Amino acid sequence: MKKSKSLLLMIAMVLVIGTALAGCGGNNANKGNNAAATNAAGNEGSTNTGTATGDEKLAADQTLRVNLSAEPPTFDPAQAQDNQAHTVLQTMYEGLTHVNAETGQAEPGIAEKWDVSTDGLVYTFHLRDAQWSNGDPVEAADFVRAWKRVLDPATAPAAPYAYQLYYLKNGEEYNTKKVTDFSQVGVKAVDAKTLEVTLKSPTPYFLGLLSFYTYYPVHKSVEGNAKWAISKDTMIVDGPYTLTEWTTGQSIQVTKNEKYWDAASIKLSKIDFTLVNSGATELLSYKNGELDRAGNPNGEIPSEQLPMVKKELPNEFVSKGIASTYYYEFNITEKPFSNAKIRKALAMAINRQVLIDNVTKGGQLPAFGYVPPGIAGADGEYRTAVKDSYFTEDVEQAKTLLAEGLKEEGLTALPPVELSYNTSENHKKIALAIADMWKNNLGITVNTVNQEWAVFIENRQHQNYQIARAGWVADYNDPMTFMDMWVTGGGNNDTGYANPEYDKLIADAKASSDLAKRQEDFAAAEKMLIQDDMVILPIYYYTNNSLTKEYLKGVTTDFSGAVDFTRAYLLEH
């Protein structure tokens, strides 16, 4: 590998430093919104990796049992946009690289090695001898095919994470029909085992981004089969596990893929995912020995149970800050939420610490910005350099802003507000508490609406809501993973926000390799997003609260809290 690649990896390492407090993408049924991603300590953060050694003895039955609190709508890497899909997809697929959860470095995946040009624009990936689960070789053309599907403007529905491929030369131009010939896009199969990628501008975190599911390859059999990603019978994959069962609304099972290039390092024979959206049921199943792991990021422990769980199971409970943000978003295309003063009033009328102390009870941090702690900035953490002091909690000021906003809209009172959230006991508790604060502080009537995950996501995408809960899990360790989603027409911008000034700041940050200048652009954009326009209503920065049996080893989580079960194993117990 050329020296320039080492330099970029060194920069990427800098982008990982400072994650001690916060640990990709994505939309999360329990944490937040995303996808695409996305995005600890003890059995999570210290990551008991590797194989059983010394006195450790592997259990005879290597079936891992975990719960997903929401069913992934699809396993198409081009369409996925939630944390549940992320967790399962990374068991079934592997990209050019994968990111080491402990070091944060991009490591070889399907790409055995790579070279980078001295200007940081051209990456040449050399693929290892890997196979698809049906025995076909994994080739450079499989990546070209996959990336074209993501960027193709004819793809229906449009890929929500298409903008993640805008780093490619002419990627955005092809997606927006300014360029019609895909051969002009910066990805080319030089031969079966060589993939050449040309970027629009140097991108220090590009190698890490390649581990994200939107960049996964797809098998040629997907062509002409619109339903290939919702059936186990048509899922041909290149990762450690294959999809062997999918009973809608009940369970998903993946089984060890013996054709995976690194099958020798895979110890689990199967992973059984139950699909239960009750935190109380999940906790009970864990205590009864029916689950080996419970809680975030894919499940939840009821908030009122957290103090008891910490006390009863101290060796199994882990609480860790992660780079994720819980927030509400406004449909700013619908009156009266098109009025920024009304949005600001709602944001200022919430007492976040009271919410954390009495409702969530998970040690979260109140959020007054969007980018969470743990995300790297120009020198250390971004949040350390750029304080999240974009607004304050002030009920009297909130009343004044609400009155001014209503007058501007020709109203004397705010009509009943609809607050939507996806099925979750904790989301419900938070929504009810905030609705109560708005009623007591501003005299607003709030109707809370619970929706099943897939329906909730679809309604948000089509702006069929007034206010909706959301959350974002970092897909890579840079402020861009939070900030570029709000550009005009962005695939994950469900608010209708369209601000040319904001778009320019993000475009400038993407084009710059000057870390200090990028940070200035991000700070200006975040101020615009929160302080000026209050497009979203920040509530708190996440912690992951989870339970892991002491016999379960090798589970890793990255800085964003995303969990990886692929190298896990079970000891005798």
Side-chain angles (χ1 to χ4, degrees):
M1 301 177 191
K2 294 183 179 179
K3 184 176 180 180
S4 56
K5 172 187 175 289
S6 299
L7 175 60
L8 287 179
L9 276 177
M10 182 171 68
I11 294 173
M13 269 298 292
V14 172
L15 291 175
V16 178
I17 295 172
T19 60
L21 289 177
C24 92
N27 279 307
N28 179 322
N30 290 306
K31 294 187 177 178
N33 161 31
N34 189 28
T38 19
N39 36 227
N43 282 331
E44 294 190 56
S46 59
T47 61
N48 297 304
T49 56
T51 59
T53 58
D55 296 332
E56 293 184 332
K57 294 183 179 179
L58 291 175
D61 183 2
Q62 288 293 311
T63 301
L64 174 63
R65 303 159 303 166
V66 295
N67 182 54
L68 304 179
S69 64
E71 184 166 26
T74 180
F75 288 133
D76 182 348
Q79 296 295 335
Q81 59 168 326
D82 64 276
N83 199 57
Q84 309 293 9
H86 183 167
T87 297
V88 184
L89 277 171
Q90 71 177 352
T91 70
M92 298 192 291
Y93 284 89
E94 186 164 87
L96 292 167
T97 68
H98 68 84
V99 174
N100 184 300
E102 293 182 312
T103 67
Q105 285 192 354
E107 298 179 339
I110 296 299
E112 189 172 31
K113 58 183 180 178
W114 50 83
D115 305 309
V116 184
S117 62
T118 54
D119 61 5
L121 292 177
V122 181
Y123 289 67
T124 303
F125 295 94
H126 306 281
L127 277 55
R128 67 176 74 249
D129 290 328
Q131 295 182 27
W132 290 98
S133 53
N134 71 342
D136 290 345
V138 179
E139 298 182 338
D142 298 324
F143 288 91
V144 177
R145 177 185 306 109
W147 297 4
K148 182 178 180 181
R149 290 180 72 243
V150 173
L151 289 172
D152 193 337
T155 297
Y161 264 118
Y163 66 88
Q164 291 285 38
L165 274 68
Y166 285 3
Y167 298 98
L168 306 183
K169 178 183 177 182
N170 286 327
E172 181 177 6
E173 289 76 6
Y174 181 75
N175 187 238
T176 56
K177 301 183 181 181
K178 295 176 183 177
V179 169
T180 58
D181 182 1
F182 187 74
S183 67
Q184 301 302 306
V185 177
V187 57
K188 178 174 67 175
V190 177
D191 55 43
K193 293 297 180 183
T194 309
L195 183 73
E196 183 180 278
V197 179
T198 304
L199 303 184
K200 182 180 300 184
S201 58
T203 306
Y205 48 85
F206 184 66
L207 288 172
L209 190 58
L210 290 172
S211 67
F212 189 56
Y213 53 76
T214 311
Y215 280 91
Y216 286 163
V218 293
H219 187 263
K220 60 186 177 183
S221 62
V222 310
E223 296 177 340
N225 182 2
K227 298 184 178 180
W228 69 273
I230 58 174
S231 170
K232 66 180 179 62
D233 299 323
T234 51
M235 287 287 293
I236 298 175
V237 297
D238 72 330
Y241 302 86
T242 61
L243 182 65
T244 47
E245 290 184 16
W246 189 357
T247 304
T248 302
Q250 296 183 36
S251 63
I252 294 169
Q253 182 187 84
V254 295
T255 300
K256 182 178 178 179
N257 177 14
E258 296 296 345
K259 296 188 181 299
Y260 175 54
W261 70 269
D262 195 24
S265 70
I266 305 303
K267 302 305 177 185
L268 294 176
S269 58
K270 292 185 297 184
I271 306 176
D272 285 338
F273 297 97
T274 54
L275 303 174
V276 177
N277 62 17
S278 167
T281 301
E282 180 174 338
L283 179 58
L284 181 61
S285 296
Y286 178 87
K287 288 184 172 182
N288 289 342
E290 298 164 5
L291 294 175
D292 303 306
R293 190 180 186 281
N296 304 137
N298 300 107
E300 69 178 13
I301 301 169
S303 57
E304 72 274 9
Q305 296 290 324
L306 288 175
M308 176 273 294
V309 167
K310 294 177 187 177
K311 183 177 180 180
E312 288 187 0
L313 302 169
N315 295 331
E316 300 174 29
F317 179 76
V318 171
S319 180
K320 182 66 179 180
I322 57 173
S324 303
T325 304
Y326 190 104
Y327 58 98
Y328 283 171
E329 58 186 35
F330 298 99
N331 176 4
I332 67 172
T333 67
E334 179 178 317
K335 288 182 174 294
F337 302 105
S338 55
N339 188 294
K341 290 182 178 179
I342 292 175
R343 301 194 297 267
K344 292 177 183 179
L346 293 173
M348 297 173 73
I350 295 173
N351 189 316
R352 289 156 179 78
Q353 194 60 56
V354 167
L355 187 73
I356 291 167
D357 292 342
N358 297 286
V359 180
T360 64
K361 301 181 181 180
Q364 297 87 354
L365 297 175
F368 298 91
Y370 184 47
V371 180
I375 293 294
D379 182 17
E381 285 194 22
Y382 171 83
R383 198 76 282 165
T384 300
V386 182
K387 302 300 182 183
D388 65 341
S389 54
Y390 298 113
F391 67 100
T392 59
E393 296 170 344
D394 187 330
V395 173
E396 293 308 311
Q397 179 65 13
K399 290 178 180 178
T400 299
L401 286 170
L402 179 60
E404 292 176 357
L406 290 173
K407 184 177 180 180
E408 291 172 0
E409 297 301 318
L411 298 172
T412 57
L414 193 66
V417 173
E418 183 173 283
L419 171 59
S420 305
Y421 62 92
N422 57 290
T423 304
S424 159
E425 294 162 2
N426 288 344
H427 294 332
K428 179 180 180 179
K429 293 171 188 173
I430 293 169
L432 291 175
I434 289 178
D436 190 56
M437 291 180 186
W438 283 340
K439 182 175 179 60
N440 291 334
N441 294 335
L442 299 176
I444 296 172
T445 298
V446 181
N447 298 319
T448 58
V449 179
N450 170 66
Q451 297 171 347
E452 185 270 332
W453 179 237
V455 174
F456 175 74
I457 286 293
E458 184 175 3
N459 282 335
R460 256 192 4 203
Q461 289 175 327
H462 292 87
Q463 294 173 350
N464 183 23
Y465 74 94
Q466 291 185 322
I467 305 175
R469 73 145 295 275
W472 197 253
V473 181
D475 299 321
Y476 49 92
N477 197 355
D478 188 86
M480 187 65 77
T481 190
F482 289 87
M483 302 307 296
D484 66 354
M485 66 183 288
W486 304 111
V487 298
T488 302
N492 286 300
N493 180 358
D494 300 333
T495 66
Y497 187 53
N499 186 330
E501 294 181 29
Y502 184 93
D503 296 347
K504 185 178 186 305
L505 287 167
I506 299 305
D508 289 348
K510 281 190 173 182
S512 176
S513 57
D514 183 332
L515 296 181
K517 177 60 169 62
R518 292 177 80 247
Q519 182 162 285
E520 290 178 6
D521 290 338
F522 287 137
E526 190 178 27
K527 175 182 178 296
M528 197 174 295
L529 181 74
I530 307 296
Q531 180 174 314
D532 298 342
D533 298 335
M534 194 60 74
V535 180
I536 62 172
L537 189 163
I539 299 175
Y540 60 73
Y541 302 124
Y542 273 104
T543 53
N544 258 6
N545 295 297
S546 63
L547 287 162
T548 303
K549 298 293 187 181
E550 293 184 86
Y551 56 75
L552 172 58
K553 305 295 181 181
V555 177
T556 63
T557 59
D558 65 14
F559 69 98
S560 72
V563 63
D564 185 349
F565 296 116
T566 59
R567 266 65 179 181
Y569 58 94
L570 303 164
L571 301 181
E572 283 187 348
H573 55 280

